[in-house]
Amino acid sequence: MEIDKARTPLYEMLMHHLHGTDIVSTGSTVEGSYIPGSDVDRMFIVQNMIAILDEKEEKDSEKCTFLLNTKQNQSCFVKLALLKCPHESTLNVEVRDFLVEKEGVYFLCSEKYRNLKIIPESGNWLSSYASMSDFHEHGPCSSSSVNFDIVCRKIDLDTTEGIQCSKWPMEALEWTSRERYSIWPPKHLIDKALDFPVHVVPVGDPTSDECQLEWRLSFSYVERELVWSFNETQLNSFVLLKTIFKAFLEPVAKDTLSTYHLKTIVFWVSEGGSIKLQQSNLICLLKLCLQMLKECISRRTLKHFIVSNHNLFYHKFENSDLREGLVNIIDCILSNIISALQQCRLPLEDVKLRQFEKSVIVSEENPPSLTKLSQVQIALSQEADDYIRNKNKFSKYGAAFGIMISMVRGYVEGSKLTEILDIFDQSACELNVEIVVALKTFSIIRLGILYHLDYINITDPSPLYFEGGIFQSEFVDSSNPEEKHIRLEAARCSFDIGCSLDHLSGYLYQAMFLLVQNDLNKMLEGIAKIFEKSLILKYEGFCSSNKNVKISDGEISITNDVPDIRDDKIPGPVCYDIILTGHDVRCVPKAVKFECELNDYDEASFYFLYHPAVFYYFLAFQLHQRLNDKKNKFKTLGQLEKITKIVKDENDGHRALNLLGYCFNEVGDEKAFSTFRLSLQTKNSAYNAATYHLCLMVMKHLPETYLYQRNV
């Protein structure tokens, strides 16, 4: 949870400052309660619309304004009546498609809005996050299984758009002054609750005649803060409750009961004050939650935690057989809850902990002996401490890499990167220091790429045969004769600092810069530092699953061995993927230019990745090729082929194959053809550079007279 509390606000802050996009991320994967099968909800905040509660409120002249209409609506559902749009704005045209007139009032239609802006058939912004075929409609969201940036793993992602309300609606204010008999929620959270924004999302009351016009209130910000305020006991009970739900209840009531309902149950039980929220009461707390869930299903009543007069179950569990079946299942679980949890087969990540699960067979009727428990505990205590420490440290690495990826969603101006560096410095005490160190270093690397781009554009302003991907940075002043030298030194300094990003990738960004500059001696010196000591690195990235990286005896290999981390400082023994974008086309070696250019045209992709071991051997091959060092050239080519075979079927594996094919072609090896062919079999797409490599290879073998005749 502490990692999630650190990385999620960072991610949202960077999306706002770098890309002008406001996002709210919620759900298990950002709330600290992840179990296999958990998802994440992401709401994009509509920038040019706002909903107000009173016509007398001051209106934003730059935003389209709607009035919240709660009359004749179920609690938590509202209609949005159009009040005004900015004068002579194209927004008038955009909004017109979503309006429905009723009795002289124009309402923003949630159904039209959802179908035109969120459901992916329209080819909208959402298509950038997963393949179109993966999407399905889920309430106000489009749902798909994607690689979600900040958690670096494939999960179910529910994405929607929300319109911010000017203030909390009246029916929700009761929550801030409610009489409570518990120390939870904490007073400081209640006191600042009204500062958290409230939104409406495009889904209506399914029982209403005006469902297509209605929007649902969303309290995502405050609900996320409530989960983040859980102590260990509350969080554990929530995770165990979800585990029971996934194993026993979801198969029976998949479309009726959700983890949001379970979260609401934990909220109410925690606020009720009938039990102390301490670890010795964990099983009792879990039982109370299950008992309340059973009663809510029986009565078909579960009050919304914020808007307490809204019943989340008002249109659910109409089928009496379903109700009775769920109640019976919960009764069986309550009769022997420890046995039920064992049947859930919790996915423990450590082999020793699995052995612990097998060695201690527990039930409430037949508890294990204290002697047996203490023996197992003593045997595992040291290993468990190491496991937990490593796991927490690895989580910080993953968080840092995920946010790095979020930083390159499109072209980022240097002024925005320097602004972010200032924000990091000013807010260091409020942010996770370890993660911020990595993000600052990566920001400096991206600045280095921009400075390098400036230098190249000043030196050679003529466009490449690649027409796209060339951007004139705001830094460039070609009238200053010293500008070229200043930019080159700024880039060199940035990449020197960037070496501290991790134990491998940071050096590779620097090596790429030196290769493009043809500064081969310094490149040799730089990559030699990688091998100063033998290491096993924790690999954080998308290009290879469940494998780490080993540096030993002048070679880099992929291994299943896990590094042992003895401190909490970043950088530690870790390496990240190389992250590049379409806008880097002039700052990369020739083989990578194809990938940059095609990525720039691919609207469904913001960035692309190389496994650090693959990129090292590609750069090393290019270096030895230019130095005419045949022995090391063919040695590194063999190592590149070996590493590529391991990652070729993983994410962006076709790009690794393209680098290998390019290198084969450079030495005249006929395996280039088969390598590019395999790349196309791996990813059959117009954006696979293998096609263009093959075309160039074929043209070299065509007689010049034939090409001349075809040209005529």
Side-chain angles (χ1 to χ4, degrees):
M1 181 194 285
E2 291 305 316
I3 297 296
D4 291 342
K5 286 171 68 174
R7 69 180 171 190
T8 304
L10 267 171
Y11 168 76
E12 293 170 357
M13 181 193 75
L14 288 169
M15 292 297 286
H16 172 77
H17 285 282
L18 294 180
H19 308 299
T21 302
D22 289 323
I23 293 177
V24 187
S25 298
T26 59
S28 309
T29 316
V30 295
E31 290 178 347
S33 60
Y34 173 81
I35 63 172
S38 295
D39 62 3
V40 64
D41 299 309
R42 182 160 59 177
M43 177 169 62
F44 285 74
I45 310 304
V46 181
Q47 302 283 339
N48 50 18
M49 298 184 191
I50 191 168
I52 64 174
L53 278 70
D54 189 333
E55 288 189 65
K56 297 178 182 178
E57 289 183 39
E58 184 177 347
K59 301 172 182 63
D60 189 328
S61 60
E62 300 299 321
K63 293 185 178 182
C64 191
T65 306
F66 296 88
L67 179 66
L68 250 69
N69 184 327
T70 58
K71 295 178 181 178
Q72 300 177 344
N73 290 94
Q74 175 76 232
S75 298
C76 270
F77 291 97
V78 300
K79 294 199 293 290
L80 300 180
L82 179 65
L83 282 184
K84 75 170 199 60
C85 268
H87 181 61
E88 296 180 353
S89 169
T90 55
L91 185 59
N92 289 294
V93 179
E94 295 173 11
V95 171
R96 192 181 303 152
D97 291 337
F98 311 131
L99 296 178
V100 169
E101 189 270 337
K102 189 172 183 179
E103 298 178 357
V105 179
Y106 285 92
F107 292 99
L108 191 65
C109 177
S110 61
E111 184 178 58
K112 285 187 175 183
Y113 192 95
R114 188 172 64 251
N115 289 341
L116 291 174
K117 290 205 72 178
I118 299 174
I119 307 305
E121 281 74 14
S122 59
N124 53 65
W125 53 264
L126 204 55
S127 63
S128 300
Y129 296 93
S131 63
M132 304 290 275
S133 60
D134 286 340
F135 280 102
H136 61 273
E137 187 174 355
H138 185 204
C141 305
S142 274
S143 183
S144 180
S145 181
V146 297
N147 279 327
F148 185 50
D149 295 346
I150 64 172
V151 293
C152 297
R153 60 172 167 250
K154 203 170 186 68
I155 59 168
D156 288 331
L157 173 65
D158 287 350
T159 310
T160 190
E161 287 195 358
I163 299 172
Q164 185 167 327
C165 301
S166 58
K167 56 186 177 181
W168 278 42
M170 290 295 296
E171 55 264 42
L173 294 179
E174 176 269 341
W175 183 82
T176 62
S177 57
R178 181 185 299 164
E179 186 175 2
R180 294 177 170 90
Y181 305 97
S182 171
I183 60 172
W184 190 91
K187 185 178 184 304
H188 71 86
L189 199 158
I190 299 170
D191 291 342
K192 71 174 185 178
L194 294 180
D195 295 332
F196 294 119
V198 177
H199 303 86
V200 290
V201 293
V203 66
D205 172 10
T207 67
S208 169
D209 293 336
E210 296 182 312
C211 176
Q212 75 279 6
L213 298 181
E214 293 174 347
W215 296 64
R216 189 178 70 203
L217 292 170
S218 171
F219 298 86
S220 295
Y221 266 111
V222 70
E223 288 170 349
R224 185 173 74 183
E225 290 290 333
L226 285 168
V227 175
W228 282 347
S229 73
F230 279 176
N231 65 17
E232 184 180 6
T233 305
Q234 289 168 288
L235 184 62
N236 286 345
S237 65
F238 183 31
V239 170
L240 291 175
L241 189 62
K242 289 188 354 181
T243 304
I244 287 173
F245 166 71
K246 293 288 184 183
F248 300 112
L249 304 178
E250 188 178 48
V252 179
K254 183 175 178 60
D255 298 323
T256 310
L257 200 58
S258 70
T259 55
Y260 181 79
H261 298 138
L262 305 182
K263 186 192 305 183
T264 304
I265 293 283
V266 178
F267 285 165
W268 280 114
V269 172
S270 297
E271 186 184 76
S274 61
I275 185 173
K276 287 186 178 181
L277 303 175
Q278 58 192 33
Q279 198 69 359
S280 59
N281 289 334
L282 174 60
I283 295 299
C284 293
L285 180 60
L286 181 59
K287 283 185 171 182
L288 279 176
C289 292
L290 285 167
Q291 187 65 40
M292 181 177 178
L293 177 61
K294 185 183 82 167
E295 293 170 0
C296 289
I297 292 172
S298 297
R299 298 196 309 266
R300 296 179 57 202
T301 302
L302 173 59
K303 294 188 294 183
H304 190 283
F305 187 62
I306 308 293
V307 184
S308 59
N309 63 350
H310 175 60
N311 177 16
L312 294 172
F313 284 174
Y314 73 97
H315 65 291
K316 295 180 179 292
F317 302 109
E318 296 175 347
N319 185 314
S320 59
D321 291 338
L322 175 61
R323 279 200 314 274
E324 292 173 9
L326 288 171
V327 166
N328 290 336
I329 292 172
I330 295 174
D331 277 334
C332 289
I333 294 168
L334 284 168
S335 67
N336 194 335
I337 194 166
I338 301 296
S339 176
L341 286 170
Q342 283 188 311
Q343 292 179 53
C344 293
R345 300 180 63 83
L346 291 171
L348 300 173
E349 299 179 46
D350 186 88
V351 174
K352 293 290 185 182
L353 294 178
R354 292 197 196 101
Q355 292 173 357
F356 171 79
E357 183 188 39
K358 292 177 181 178
S359 65
V360 184
I361 306 301
V362 254
S363 71
E364 290 179 301
E365 291 76 20
N366 183 29
S369 70
L370 292 177
T371 304
K372 175 65 174 175
L373 277 175
S374 60
Q375 288 174 348
V376 175
Q377 185 177 8
I378 290 170
L380 293 175
S381 59
Q382 182 59 47
E383 291 162 350
D385 287 345
D386 291 344
Y387 167 75
I388 291 169
R389 180 173 61 250
N390 281 353
K391 187 174 186 297
N392 289 341
K393 183 62 181 288
F394 294 166
S395 296
K396 291 179 183 178
Y397 292 147
F401 178 68
I403 304 174
M404 285 178 207
I405 284 181
S406 74
M407 295 175 69
V408 295
R409 288 188 170 276
Y411 178 66
V412 179
E413 295 177 348
S415 58
K416 289 186 177 181
L417 285 171
T418 52
E419 177 187 336
I420 282 295
L421 289 172
D422 290 339
I423 291 172
F424 284 153
D425 290 335
Q426 295 165 11
S427 309
C429 60
E430 302 170 13
L431 304 172
N432 184 283
V433 176
E434 293 96 346
I435 297 176
V436 165
V437 167
L439 296 182
K440 286 179 66 174
T441 309
F442 184 70
S443 300
I444 292 169
I445 289 172
R446 294 306 304 175
L447 273 173
I449 290 174
L450 288 180
Y451 288 134
H452 194 197
L453 174 63
D454 290 346
Y455 167 79
I456 294 172
N457 286 342
I458 295 170
T459 305
D460 181 17
S462 61
L464 302 174
Y465 52 88
F466 299 96
E467 291 295 331
I470 299 176
F471 293 83
Q472 295 292 333
S473 168
E474 73 272 22
F475 290 133
V476 173
D477 180 10
S478 56
S479 63
N480 184 349
E482 296 295 318
E483 194 70 23
K484 181 172 72 170
H485 174 73
I486 292 171
R487 292 301 157 210
L488 184 62
E489 289 309 305
R492 191 183 303 277
C493 180
S494 297
F495 288 115
D496 288 346
I497 297 172
C499 289
S500 63
L501 176 68
D502 60 8
H503 278 267
L504 181 55
S505 304
Y507 290 105
L508 298 182
Y509 287 108
Q510 181 195 54
M512 180 178 70
F513 162 73
L514 294 171
L515 180 68
V516 173
Q517 284 301 307
N518 206 36
D519 195 344
L520 304 184
N521 289 329
K522 283 199 174 181
M523 183 181 174
L524 266 174
E525 293 174 11
I527 62 176
K529 294 177 183 177
I530 296 172
F531 301 98
E532 287 181 347
K533 54 183 176 179
S534 296
L535 287 169
I536 295 177
L537 306 179
K538 171 62 179 172
Y539 166 69
E540 285 292 347
F542 290 158
C543 295
S544 180
S545 56
N546 302 320
K547 296 182 179 70
N548 298 308
V549 171
K550 184 176 182 179
I551 297 176
S552 180
D553 299 326
E555 293 186 358
I556 299 176
S557 57
I558 295 178
T559 178
N560 287 317
D561 296 336
V562 179
D564 182 27
I565 297 173
R566 295 294 177 180
D567 60 66
D568 285 331
K569 293 180 181 178
I570 285 182
V574 64
C575 62
Y576 303 110
D577 284 335
I578 299 297
I579 309 171
L580 296 171
T581 76
H583 309 302
D584 305 333
V585 64
R586 297 199 117 190
C587 307
V588 297
K590 185 177 178 181
V592 186
K593 291 183 187 293
F594 287 90
E595 308 290 347
C596 289
E597 182 65 16
L598 290 169
N599 183 260
D600 192 38
Y601 283 103
D602 185 357
E603 295 180 357
S605 179
F606 297 105
Y607 57 86
F608 60 96
L609 307 172
Y610 287 113
H611 190 284
V614 168
F615 206 66
Y616 166 76
Y617 280 113
F618 165 72
L619 293 177
F621 172 86
Q622 295 295 314
L623 171 65
H624 297 308
Q625 171 89 332
R626 293 191 189 184
L627 292 173
N628 199 27
D629 183 345
K630 293 184 179 180
K631 178 182 176 182
N632 282 317
K633 175 174 68 175
F634 285 100
K635 180 181 177 181
T636 54
L637 180 57
Q639 292 290 343
L640 176 60
E641 183 177 16
K642 181 179 177 181
I643 293 291
T644 302
K645 286 180 180 178
I646 298 174
V647 303
K648 65 181 177 62
D649 295 320
E650 304 273 3
N651 289 322
D652 278 2
H654 67 288
R655 301 188 200 277
L657 286 165
N658 291 343
L659 292 186
L660 178 62
Y662 179 86
C663 293
F664 277 142
N665 190 40
E666 287 282 279
V667 297
D669 193 322
E670 292 184 356
K671 284 193 285 188
F673 281 99
S674 60
T675 303
F676 288 131
R677 186 168 65 244
L678 180 58
S679 173
L680 286 170
Q681 291 170 350
T682 303
K683 186 175 179 66
N684 185 8
S685 166
Y687 302 110
N688 187 344
T691 302
Y692 303 91
H693 286 295
L694 284 168
C695 286
L696 291 174
M697 289 175 65
V698 169
M699 289 177 68
K700 287 182 180 179
H701 290 78
L702 292 176
E704 290 186 11
T705 53
Y706 174 79
L707 291 174
Y708 173 77
Q709 291 171 353
R710 292 294 297 173
N711 187 46
V712 172

